[in-house]
Amino acid sequence: MDSSVDTTTSMESSSGRPRLNKYAFACAILASTNSILLGYDIGVMSGAVLYIKDVFKLSSVQEEVLVGSLNVFSLIGALGAGKTSDWIGRRYTIILAAATFFVGALLMGLAPSYPFLMAGRVVAGIGVGYSLMVAPVYTAEVSPAMTRGFLSSFPEVFITFGILLGYIFNYALSSLPPHINWRLMLGLAAFPAISIALGVLYMPESPRWLVMKGKIDEAKRVLRKTSETEEEADLRLQEITKASSDESSNSHGKGVWKELLMPSKPLQRILLAAIGINFFMQASGNDAVVYYTPEVFKAAGIHSRKGLVGVTVIMGIAKTSFVLVSAVFLDRFGRRPLLLLGSTGMAISLIALGLGSKFLEHSVRKPIWAIALCVIAVCADVSFFSIGLGPITWVYSSEIFPTRLRAQGTSLAVSVNRLVSGVVAMTFLSISKKITFGGMFLVLAGIMVLATIFFYFFLPETKGKSLEEIGSLFENKDQREMSTR
């Protein structure tokens, strides 16, 4: 009998649903908690920047640079995380990410000037880049195939939860004096970073990294804890060791980066899928919409700062609710259906938001129904993002690369993610001033139409397959037939 069938059978409960391994669940939770820090920064900065602008007398360009710089400099962390996690392991790279963010959060909270604040954003950004790359990779490598989608979506779940926390702290601290509230908003992120780093010390190392380093016995111990039966653990170990030896023999002595930059045909398809989904995740403008929601609704006619922050709390609740729905159903319905549903829903929501904003731009009285339409459309946009692109980008790009290339391949894809996120965040206000917010949202709607077409044609389904089986999905028909003989 095929080993994947045996593994699948052992993973299912008597009700036919995948059984959730508690140890793998705990590992995924610990690995993903770092993502709370990024989410918190995204959420809290949307409110904090309202007060920072007044204190440091920032121009709109300086505001964009401040907001987007964290994403741009996370590119450094994302690029470095691949090599680092192959060198010192996935677990210690997560600890390094938390420690770096801790330093950045302290610098931001204590900043006496705009340049000092920017320095904190740079350091925090590097920590974010490390975290965004390594958490999904670790979780994918430690998870059984039948629950990998659910567990690998945790980074996005925690990012979204962090965003909601940021909104709540914005609302709670907004009544404090302007020279104190934003410092507390940004500086408070330093404290969870410490507890996260300490918690990760209790995690095991990734079994696939251990096999790569020749530590087979350690890998087997981890697999026994993250599998339901000893037979399942043995099957997973066999698949990992076989894939590792096959990759070593097929690499012909080429270095990882040489292989990524001069890829074979199957690897070209993997790179196209991984880079494409990461590009569209940020080209959707979701981060910018979250960052600049107060600016958007200020233009729509909501002028109370407490009211502006209150709208972001509503948006955060919607975003958090739907990412949990996606996480629960990822392994039941698969990656493709939820991804296509999410991108289609985002396109429709952005069209509604664009048209509503356009109407308000030409309206003197700012009717309540038009403002309500924009609020509902923003909530729908971030909700559909949380159903599809948000969690599935991290799941998909961490599971499709071969073991030998996973860390640095994912690092390359996440670097594109961070670069596009930074560019969008740092140009959103400037472009919106040229073409209006309504025009900007209609452009983003067009991008999501293109994204839907790309996902339909270039992203095969990976649900229920082991990491070692997924590579065959990107081979051409002749190669797949030869590999089954």
Side-chain angles (χ1 to χ4, degrees), residues 327-350:
V328 168
F329 290 107
L330 251 178
D331 289 309
R332 185 179 302 181
F333 296 127
R335 286 46 158 168
R336 274 173 57 87
L338 292 180
L339 190 59
L340 292 170
L341 171 64
S343 58
T344 303
M346 285 182 74
I348 294 168
S349 303
L350 286 164

Side-chain angles (χ1 to χ4, degrees), residues 16 50 55 77 111 125 130 134 142 232 266 278 320 392 399 459 468 479:
L50 296 173
V55 172
Y130 269 97
V134 74
V142 83
E232 183 192 333
N278 275 275
T320 304
I392 294 170
E399 67 184 0
L459 270 64
E468 288 66 41
Q479 285 174 308

Side-chain angles (χ1 to χ4, degrees), residues 26 29 75 176 189 206 257 274 351 364 437 445:
I29 289 282
L75 173 68
L176 295 175
S206 153
W257 277 109
I351 289 170
V364 178
F437 282 122

Side-chain angles (χ1 to χ4, degrees), residues 83-152:
K83 186 69 174 175
T84 304
S85 64
D86 277 347
W87 178 38
I88 64 174
R90 313 322 193 202
R91 189 169 66 121
Y92 285 112
T93 305
I94 295 172
I95 294 170
L96 177 63
T100 307
F101 191 93
F102 169 77
V103 174
L106 280 183
L107 288 173
M108 288 190 289
L110 299 171
S113 63
Y114 178 71
F116 205 104
L117 185 58
M118 283 298 302
R121 300 292 284 168
V122 170
V123 176
I126 293 170
V128 163
Y130 269 97
S131 177
L132 283 177
M133 176 267 149
V134 74
V137 167
Y138 173 88
T139 307
E141 290 185 342
V142 83
S143 303
M146 296 302 290
T147 53
R148 191 178 59 247
F150 173 63
L151 297 178
S152 296

